[in-house]
Amino acid sequence: MNLADRNSALTIAIVFPDLLGTYGDGGNGIVLARRAAWRGIGVDLVHADSGRPLPSADVYCIGGGEDGPQVRAATSLNEDGTMARVVEHGAVVLGVCAGFQLLGGSFPDSADRAHDGLGLLDVTTRKGTGHRAVGELVATMAPDAPHLPGGAPLPRLTGFENHGGVTSVGPSARALARVVRGVGNGGGDGTEGAWSGRVVGTYLHGPVLARNIALADLLLGWAVDPSDSPGPLPPL
Ligand code: GLN
């Protein structure tokens, strides 16, 4: 496919930056938009604040935030229903930390009450019992993690983490990576993040796509070519 010939612009939505903007993860949307534009792909980058219907998009980037805004974001996204509907049609989702947790079945608030997530990724988050996980995080991609369009494996991921939640990956999702340094999912199995279909969750802030451009191109490749075996993106 000639990428510049796509007949519509790629819509990239930064989800609820007013609620989930604490860690600068909105930069993930900016990185995707720039890497698309540099390749001649038309892009519409939308800052989708809460309190309005969520727009349909090709890619959703959901960032991290505090426990209270995380609950409000999950409640609004469930009431709105757009994301679940569009993901069924192949939209790409990147969730980071709070954004990762709320993609799962349930996650805790600050009083340890469980709240419904969106159910788009088979993960469950509970409150950790030890110290909050804070610091640099390095992880190598899991052997069965997705490869770049064109077949190359992704290099190791780096970023920083800051979370109290501990996440278990269920049978319908797979771990994204294995922790080399840091905590990651924190359930004792050494895993970091999860993925299923075109939905990816991670504890890596950074923004993760600025620090790991191969991951950015993996998501972009999925978004520009909805086939099961997307071709490689032109190198930058
Ligand atoms: N509130 C969540 C936790 O502490 C998410 C934090 C974050 O997004 N960095 O686990």
Side-chain angles (χ1 to χ4, degrees):
M1 174 169 53
N2 182 345
L3 299 177
D5 288 349
R6 279 177 54 91
N7 50 16
S8 60
L10 194 68
T11 303
I12 298 171
I14 300 173
V15 178
F16 298 171
D18 53 332
L19 294 177
L20 299 173
T22 316
Y23 296 86
D25 299 315
N28 291 322
I30 296 169
V31 169
L32 288 173
R34 293 308 306 163
R35 296 186 73 78
W38 288 332
R39 291 176 165 117
I41 303 165
V43 186
D44 191 8
L45 177 64
V46 182
H47 289 74
D49 278 330
S50 64
R52 298 184 226 153
L54 189 75
S56 287
D58 300 292
V59 185
Y60 292 100
C61 296
I62 319 175
E66 297 89 349
D67 296 348
Q70 179 177 352
V71 172
R72 280 165 54 202
T75 305
S76 299
L77 290 170
N78 271 329
E79 282 169 5
D80 177 273
T82 303
M83 193 180 295
R85 201 170 53 246
V86 182
V87 164
E88 236 176 73
H89 290 97
V92 175
V93 182
L94 171 68
V96 178
C97 203
F100 170 31
Q101 295 173 0
L102 67 73
L103 289 172
S106 75
F107 64 88
D109 64 16
S110 55
D112 206 8
R113 284 178 301 242
H115 291 264
D116 284 344
L118 276 66
L120 296 176
L121 196 55
D122 184 13
V123 298
T124 308
T125 301
R126 59 187 160 80
K127 223 172 168 52
T129 49
H131 289 296
R132 203 174 163 78
V134 182
E136 286 293 308
L137 175 56
V138 180
T140 51
M141 296 301 287
D144 58 354
H147 285 195
L148 281 167
L154 273 80
R156 69 184 190 172
L157 304 173
T158 80
F160 70 92
E161 60 186 330
N162 186 340
H163 56 102
V166 167
T167 299
S168 318
V169 182
S172 303
R174 281 180 263 177
L176 182 67
R178 297 206 63 79
V179 174
V180 175
R181 179 187 161 176
V183 175
N185 293 339
D189 60 1
T191 62
E192 150 49 30
W195 68 283
S196 167
R198 294 176 175 213
V199 178
V200 173
T202 177
Y203 274 110
L204 291 158
H205 296 293
V208 62
L209 299 187
R211 287 180 58 155
N212 304 275
I213 54 174
L215 184 60
D217 282 354
L218 173 72
L219 303 179
L220 202 53
W222 288 347
V224 296
D225 185 347
S227 72
D228 282 341
S229 48
L233 291 168
L236 293 178

